[in-house]
Amino acid sequence: MTLDQRKSAARRLVEARRVVVKVGSALLVDADKGRLNRQWLASLAADVARLRARGQDVILVSSGAIALGRRHLKLEPGRLKLEESQAAAAVGQIRLAHAYKELLDEHGITVAQILLTLDDTEQRRRYLNARGTLNTLLALGAVPVINENDTVATAEIRYGDNDRLAARVAQMVAADCLVLLSDIDGLYTANPHEDEHAEFVARVLDISPEIEAMAGGSSSDVGTGGMQTKIAAAKIAVGAGCHLCIARGAVEQPLKRIEDGARCTWFVPTATPVALRKQWIAGTLKPAGALSIDLGAVRALYDGKSLLPAGVTRATGRFERGDTVSILGPDGVEVARGICAYSDADTARIMGRQSADIERLLGFRGRDEIVHRDDLVILKGP
Ligand code: GLU
């Protein structure tokens, strides 16, 4: 690829609405001294500030807690016992979060710490909660800094690597670009440290078995993620319509370097996150229930608007917040399908009423829309 081609590939980062950046331990923590690499982190903060100034949402998924904490606790080099890594994470995470806060404060950016476990992304209810919190933070202009909750995660319930965690987060918030900042500049046909014929792969359109076979073990001593976890992350991200970039992180302002045409590997999805989400909704085999709506609401949906409680006349079936429901016109024909923001019981209490009354009727302030237009697919046109 020429410089121009690389710059043009990087438009995906420049034009993304929502960007997730994964920061590996090896970048943040000095391997010899075990200290936080503040100067590098300050340059990443400048990168983040630039993206925020362009109006992009940014989420950081940062490793480094265990690497920082183990040094501070003077734990012996080598593999840690589970309790030791949990203790190290507890000590390291607070230092890590503090550093992000301090350095992003300088750019007037609010940092929010979120610690996730595997359950938070794999269990529907917790997934919806975590997603809600992230979306709210982004809407308020904060930059979430996420890590795995290593102090409570045991071997069985652990991601263990932040590559896949970052991909799950990207999927959760429908990000359009995920950058994995790594100690290597991208994917090679073989391990470049061992094979002089290894060739660089600039773009992956299909994660074929050949591509998976290219991923050897990790070459880094500090983090846990090797190329295999990056490919696994790429599968998740691409499947969610998110572009993924593996790039060298150990440079000043690594995101700016990508935009300026630094070499990196791009994994390219075939559809956008919204299109995929809509496909998935339309493909739900058995909606959990149905909402009957009036003619005014049918027209609003055709105009591309969301479904408000005022337009709903009846709720049938048993469903929870987050379940897919059929949306039926006054003649009983299914006009649309969507994800309902309320359970069947709560829907019955707010239907026919104004959104402003939701809090009074339910005792909590939920979404104004019963089905948001991003969560809705029209099945039958006007
Ligand atoms: N969550 C771990 C930490 O903060 C790192 C996981 C990884 O290296 O990907 O230390």
Side-chain angles (χ1 to χ4, degrees):
M1 268 200 189
T2 63
L3 179 65
D4 277 347
Q5 283 170 326
R6 289 202 296 270
K7 276 191 188 164
S8 120
R11 303 294 307 163
R12 294 155 187 153
L13 169 59
V14 182
E15 284 159 15
R17 201 176 43 92
R18 226 163 233 197
V19 183
V20 177
V21 182
K22 184 257 170 174
V23 184
S25 301
L27 299 169
L28 274 172
V29 185
D30 183 291
D32 299 330
K33 302 199 188 74
R35 283 206 207 104
L36 189 80
N37 195 343
R38 275 186 88 86
Q39 198 185 338
W40 180 81
L41 192 55
S43 96
L44 180 72
D47 254 345
V48 171
R50 203 165 36 82
L51 266 61
R52 290 288 307 124
R54 282 200 302 238
Q56 296 175 285
D57 289 341
V58 183
I59 295 181
L60 297 168
V61 175
S62 180
S63 308
I66 296 174
L68 272 179
R70 67 180 294 161
R71 172 77 194 187
H72 198 78
L73 291 170
K74 301 195 173 53
L75 294 169
E76 294 293 318
R79 213 178 152 77
L80 296 177
K81 286 195 243 135
L82 178 65
E83 309 84 74
E84 287 173 334
S85 42
Q86 290 175 321
V91 170
Q93 183 62 34
I94 196 165
R95 300 181 158 259
L96 196 59
H98 193 78
Y100 275 104
K101 185 210 158 270
E102 251 180 32
L103 293 168
L104 282 160
D105 258 356
E106 285 176 18
H107 299 275
I109 294 174
T110 304
V111 169
Q113 171 179 267
I114 301 202
L115 300 177
L116 294 175
T117 56
L118 191 64
D119 275 357
D120 296 319
T121 60
E122 308 304 297
Q123 270 185 22
R124 187 162 183 76
R125 204 142 250 293
R126 292 172 67 163
Y127 173 92
L128 290 173
N129 271 325
R131 187 180 71 175
T133 309
L134 280 169
N135 281 331
T136 306
L137 285 167
L138 292 171
L140 293 170
V143 170
V145 176
I146 301 179
N147 196 358
E148 184 160 15
N149 196 351
D150 292 310
T151 49
V152 296
T154 58
E156 310 81 66
I157 57 151
R158 184 152 205 266
Y159 273 100
D161 68 272
N162 277 359
D163 293 323
R164 286 175 306 152
L165 175 64
R168 275 278 185 246
V169 167
Q171 179 185 43
M172 193 183 257
V173 298
D176 22 31
C177 184
L178 165 59
V179 181
L180 301 180
L181 293 179
S182 169
D183 48 4
I184 190 158
D185 55 0
L187 179 69
Y188 289 80
T189 51
N191 186 338
H193 301 300
E194 290 163 8
D195 186 344
E196 55 176 313
H197 301 296
E199 276 172 40
F200 188 77
V201 182
R203 196 167 64 143
V204 179
L205 298 173
D206 173 29
I207 306 175
S208 59
E210 291 76 51
I211 294 288
E212 293 194 54
M214 290 174 192
S218 174
S219 59
S220 146
D221 298 330
V222 188
T224 49
M227 202 43 83
Q228 272 151 351
T229 60
K230 291 184 177 48
I231 301 282
K235 278 190 177 170
I236 298 170
V238 167
C242 177
H243 283 86
L244 178 134
C245 170
I246 302 175
R248 183 186 296 290
V251 287
E252 287 276 299
Q253 298 211 18
L255 300 177
K256 181 154 191 313
R257 291 286 284 264
I258 298 172
E259 291 173 20
D260 290 345
R263 188 157 89 158
C264 56
T265 300
W266 282 99
F267 289 77
V268 183
T270 47
T272 65
V274 174
L276 279 167
R277 190 169 166 72
K278 295 205 171 206
Q279 254 174 41
W280 177 79
I281 295 169
T284 309
L285 291 179
K286 222 171 154 293
L291 303 175
S292 301
I293 64 173
D294 63 23
L295 207 54
V298 174
R299 289 205 190 99
L301 297 193
Y302 287 157
D303 283 347
K305 304 226 169 72
S306 298
L307 179 63
L308 300 177
V312 179
T313 54
R314 196 166 161 232
T316 45
R318 299 296 301 267
F319 51 89
E320 289 299 324
R321 175 165 84 95
D323 282 340
T324 303
V325 292
S326 290
I327 299 170
L328 314 175
D331 53 3
V333 176
E334 185 177 28
V335 285
R337 204 169 265 196
I339 296 179
C340 197
Y342 293 92
S343 66
D344 57 294
D346 287 345
T347 301
R349 279 148 77 190
I350 60 174
M351 66 190 192
R353 313 293 283 263
Q354 296 302 313
S355 299
D357 295 335
I358 293 177
E359 189 170 0
R360 190 172 48 78
L361 292 166
L362 298 182
F364 65 89
R365 206 175 133 200
R367 267 190 161 186
D368 285 353
E369 309 86 14
I370 277 215
V371 181
H372 190 272
R373 59 185 191 154
D374 285 349
D375 295 337
L376 184 137
V377 210
I378 304 288
L379 297 177
K380 179 184 156 283

